Structures are given as C-alpha cells and as structure tokens.
C-alpha cells in the first residue's frame, strides 16, 4: 500500500525487486513527511498522502543506496536550499488539495 503510515513515514509498495535488484530509496520522502507533520495541516489521511505525492512530484529525485551517502553529499547550502524547496513544494501541494477540498464541498 502506498501512503503515510501511522508513524508518519511514507511507504510505497512497489512489489518484489526485479531480477534481484533492490530498489533504492528516494530520500526526499522523509523530508516531505517530516515537514508536513511539523505544519500540523488540517487534512485527513488521504489528503495528506495526496499532498506528499504532489510535493514529491515537484521536487528533483534524489536516489541513494544508503542514507549516509545522501547526507554526506550535501553541503550546508544545498541542505538549506533543499529545505526551502521542500517547504515550497508542500505549500503548493497543500494549496491544491485544500482548494480541491473546498470545491468538492460546494
């Protein structure tokens, strides 16, 4: 199942690895869910999952094999820029979902 777990982690079930190749993690998923959780958005689980998907679609993919690889290859400036990009992507995605929710209630 794809979505946010009760622990606030993003999960994607893509099935078993093909030809023995293990999937690599996209590290921005954790940053997006953490930043979204910190905002305290008034959205239900389905809407939160939609916000995560929309936000991730607006961010550049960063695939790594190990978390330490990801962290060690970002300079402090790149980390700040990435945090700003995550915040902007969440704000835009949440705006879309909130507008959609408002139009559904009419």
């Amino acid at each position: 199942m794809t979505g946010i777990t009760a622990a606030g982690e993003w999960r994607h079930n893509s099935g078993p690895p093909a030809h023995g190749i293990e999937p690599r993690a996209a590290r921005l998923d954790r940053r997006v869910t953490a930043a979204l959780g910190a905002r305290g958005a008034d959205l239900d689980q389905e809407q939160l999952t939609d916000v995560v998907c929309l936000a991730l679609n607006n961010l550049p993919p960063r695939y790594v094999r190990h978390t330490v690889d990801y962290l060690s290859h970002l300079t402090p400036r790149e980390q700040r820029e990435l945090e700003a990009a995550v915040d902007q992507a969440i704000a835009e995605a949440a705006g879309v979902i909130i507008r959609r929710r408002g139009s559904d209630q009419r």
Side-chain angles (χ1 to χ4, degrees):
M1 180 176 159
T2 300
I4 301 173
T5 67
E9 295 179 351
W10 176 252
R11 293 283 185 228
H12 176 71
N13 182 6
S14 59
H19 307 292
I21 299 171
E22 293 294 326
R24 304 299 171 243
R27 294 290 91 188
L28 290 179
D29 54 351
R30 290 184 182 176
R31 285 184 184 251
V32 168
T33 54
L36 185 58
R39 295 175 123 226
D42 181 28
L43 301 170
D44 63 31
Q45 186 67 29
E46 186 173 328
Q47 293 166 332
L48 286 171
T49 300
D50 288 344
V51 170
V52 171
C53 289
L54 288 174
L56 288 171
N57 284 333
N58 288 315
L59 292 167
R62 288 187 171 258
Y63 291 95
V64 296
R65 186 170 182 176
H66 303 287
T67 302
V68 69
D69 295 338
Y70 173 70
L71 298 174
S72 66
H73 287 86
L74 291 178
T75 66
R77 179 180 177 189
E78 289 172 321
Q79 289 179 21
R80 288 190 303 273
E81 290 171 351
L82 188 57
E83 291 297 331
V86 165
D87 289 342
Q88 180 178 352
I90 289 171
E92 291 172 4
V96 168
I97 298 304
I98 290 168
R99 282 191 303 277
R100 192 177 295 164
R101 177 176 65 178
S103 66
D104 289 346
Q105 293 176 354
R106 292 182 192 161

